[in-house]
Amino acid sequence: MAQLEWFFDVICPQAHLAASRVESLARETGHDLVLRPVSLAHLYEAQGLPLQPEADWAENKRHRHDHDVLRQAELAGLRLRGDLHRPVRESEAAQRLLAGTSPTQRSGVMHALFNAAWERGKALDDTGLLRRIAEEHGLDPALIDADASASALAANTDEALSRGVFGVPTVAFGEQLWWGADRLDFVARAMGGSAATAPRQPDGHRRRLEVFHDFSSPFSYLACTQVARLAQEHDAELVWRPMLLGALFKSIGTPMMPIRAMSENRQAWGLRDMQRWATHWDVPFRFTSHFPLNTVLALRVSAVAPDLIQPLYRAAWADNRNLSEQETVAAIVREAGMDPEDLFARATAEETKALIKTNTQQAEALGACGAPTLVVDGRLVFWGQDRLDMVARALDGWVPAVDGGADDR
C-alpha cells in the first residue's frame, strides 16, 4: 500500500488549514502518513523564485489571496491570527526542530507550532518559544540547532524538489502530487476515501451570479462548463461579463502570461491540475497549441450572442481551434446557424466595444486579478474555477466573516 507523504512548512497558513484533515484522511483510508518538513525558503531559492513572491503581486491579487485564505480558514472552523505573509525564513529553526524530531513525536510538535503561529499569532523564530515546545514534548531543545536536524531538513527539501514539489503544502501519494489545502478532496478520492461534503442551507433568497471571463483562459473554460448548472441549482440569475484579461493584467501590473512566469515544477503541476478538474467535471480538455489566444473578436461576438459562449470555449479548449483567427470564429458562428456577417457587424459596433471595456473596468474595480472572477450580488468576489464550492455557498446565503458576515465561531 502506498504511503501518504505530506511536505509542509509551518510558515504557510494553508499548511495549518490542511494538517488535521491530512491526518484524518490517512486514518480513514488505512494508509501510513509520513510528515516531511521542508524548507520553503530553499524550495523557492532552488527554483529561482523570490523569497516573498507576494511582494511582487498586484494589489488586487494580494487582496483576493488573503480573502481566500481567511474564507478557507472559516470553512475549516479555524481563525488565523497574525500576518498571512510572514518572512519565509522565520520558520527555519522550527523546521529543523521538526526534522530532528522522531516520526512518532512529529505530529504533536507540528500541531504545537501551527497553534502557536496561526492560532496565537506567535513568531516562529522565537527561540524561547521553540525551546518550550521542545521541552513540553519531552525533546532536547538542542535538536533545534543540531547538524543532524539541519541535514534531515535539507534531505527532505532536496527530495521534494526532485519529485516536482514547488510549494507547500504538497501531498504525495505514489507518483501523484497535489498542492494546496484546497485539493484534499482529490487526494481523498485517489486514496479510496470520500470528499468532504456539507449540507446545503439555502436562505430562500434569489441571487445574481456574474461571471467575468475571457476565452483566453483555460480556467475560465473549466468554470464556464459549470456555472449555468450552478445557477440553475441555486435558482440564481446568471449574467455573463466578457472582459479583456490582457487589459486587466496590464492595468493592475500582472505578467501578461502568468503561467510562463511560474517555475517549471509549478507549470507542470498546473497542467496536471487542469486535467484533473476536467476529469472531475467530466468535460473534454486540451491545452490549446495556439496559446496565447487573441480573443477580442470572440469576446465581442459572445457579448451580442451569449448562446455562442459555450461553443467558443469548446472550440478553444476542447477542439484546439484557433480563436485568434477570424475565419475560425466565423466558422463557429455558422455552425451555430447564425450569419457571421450580421453578427460581426453587431460585434464590432462601438457600443459592443464599450461594453467589453466597461466590463473590464468593473472587474478591476471589484478587485479582480484574473479569470474567471465570479461575483455574487455585486458584493462577494471569488477568483478561480476551483472556488465554485464557495460560490455555491454564497448563492445559498453564506457571507464570510472577512466580507462582513456574522462570525459565530
Side-chain angles (χ1 to χ4, degrees):
M1 181 176 290
Q3 291 181 326
L4 183 67
E5 298 173 88
W6 197 53
F7 296 92
F8 70 98
D9 188 322
V10 291
I11 198 63
C12 175
Q14 289 95 329
H16 174 46
L17 302 185
S20 293
R21 190 172 175 210
V22 167
E23 291 181 322
S24 295
L25 280 175
R27 287 194 300 269
E28 292 166 5
T29 58
H31 288 81
D32 292 331
L33 175 63
V34 181
L35 300 176
R36 306 292 295 271
V38 299
S39 166
L40 184 57
H42 182 64
L43 279 178
Y44 285 164
E45 288 176 331
Q47 296 172 90
L49 300 174
L51 289 183
Q52 300 297 140
E54 66 275 11
D56 296 328
W57 291 352
E59 181 180 352
N60 277 10
K61 183 174 180 178
R62 283 195 298 271
H63 185 74
R64 289 271 63 80
H65 170 273
D66 291 356
H67 265 55
D68 185 67
V69 173
L70 293 174
R71 289 164 173 171
Q72 288 185 63
E74 180 175 334
L75 292 176
L78 299 171
R79 183 197 298 271
L80 298 180
R81 300 186 185 277
D83 185 3
L84 294 178
H85 304 287
R86 300 176 182 220
V88 72
R89 289 197 185 280
E90 182 184 305
S91 63
E92 287 291 287
Q95 292 299 98
R96 289 198 301 271
L97 172 61
L98 283 165
T101 299
S102 69
T104 57
Q105 293 177 285
R106 189 168 291 156
S107 174
V109 177
M110 175 187 72
H111 284 292
L113 289 166
F114 275 135
N115 180 271
W118 297 111
E119 299 293 310
R120 296 188 285 136
K122 302 296 184 180
L124 285 167
D125 56 1
D126 181 339
T127 302
L129 171 70
L130 299 182
R131 292 180 65 86
R132 286 194 298 275
I133 288 175
E135 291 169 350
E136 287 168 1
H137 288 80
L139 301 173
D140 183 351
L143 284 173
I144 297 167
D145 296 309
D147 289 343
S149 298
S151 296
L153 180 63
N156 279 347
T157 307
D158 289 343
E159 181 178 344
L161 283 163
S162 72
R163 292 169 64 178
V165 174
F166 59 88
V168 297
T170 292
V171 173
F173 184 61
E175 298 298 316
Q176 300 184 78
L177 297 176
W178 294 268
W179 171 58
D182 53 356
R183 296 300 190 267
L184 294 184
D185 280 352
F186 284 169
V187 179
R189 293 187 187 97
M191 295 173 62
S194 58
T197 57
R200 281 193 59 191
Q201 297 179 315
D203 64 1
H205 293 281
R206 190 166 196 259
R207 293 185 164 79
R208 183 177 71 256
L209 174 59
E210 296 175 88
V211 182
F212 291 84
H213 69 102
D214 188 330
F215 298 106
S216 65
S217 165
F219 306 106
S220 271
Y221 162 68
L222 291 168
C224 289
T225 65
Q226 303 303 310
V227 290
R229 171 190 58 79
L230 193 65
Q232 182 178 23
E233 289 176 354
H234 294 264
D235 189 30
E237 176 191 5
L238 178 61
V239 182
W240 296 99
R241 301 289 192 202
M243 67 172 181
L244 284 167
L245 187 57
L248 174 67
F249 284 163
K250 182 177 181 180
S251 183
I252 67 175
T254 288
M256 296 302 288
M257 289 184 284
I259 194 170
R260 291 189 177 171
M262 298 174 183
S263 69
E264 183 178 340
N265 278 356
R266 183 164 182 182
Q267 286 188 48
W269 176 86
L271 291 172
R272 291 195 302 272
D273 190 55
M274 291 177 207
Q275 189 59 64
R276 283 174 177 154
W277 278 105
T279 300
H280 173 67
W281 297 129
D282 193 23
V283 295
F285 173 75
R286 175 181 175 184
F287 196 94
T288 179
S289 63
H290 308 292
F291 189 81
L293 295 171
N294 181 338
T295 57
V296 173
L297 178 59
L299 288 166
R300 292 173 180 171
V301 165
S302 75
V304 297
D307 287 348
L308 287 173
I309 291 173
Q310 300 300 345
L312 287 164
Y313 267 119
R314 285 195 300 272
W317 296 104
D319 301 331
N320 198 35
R321 298 169 73 178
N322 189 359
L323 289 193
S324 302
E325 299 174 346
Q326 180 174 320
E327 55 268 32
T328 299
V329 178
I332 295 166
V333 172
R334 282 192 294 271
E335 290 161 12
M338 301 181 190
D339 177 13
E341 185 175 351
D342 171 68
L343 198 55
F344 285 1
R346 289 187 286 137
T348 56
E350 290 305 315
E351 57 265 31
T352 305
K353 296 177 182 179
L355 174 63
I356 303 296
K357 182 178 180 180
T358 297
N359 285 345
T360 307
Q361 292 170 339
Q362 288 180 346
E364 181 177 354
L366 285 165
C369 61
T373 293
L374 305 113
V375 183
V376 176
D377 281 353
R379 176 186 177 190
L380 300 179
V381 181
F382 301 89
W383 172 39
Q385 62 85 26
D386 53 357
R387 292 299 177 261
L388 294 183
D389 58 335
M390 289 189 183
V391 174
R393 289 174 180 265
L395 291 174
D396 278 345
W398 175 55
V399 180
V402 70
D403 298 287
D407 186 0
D408 57 4
R409 285 167 291 144

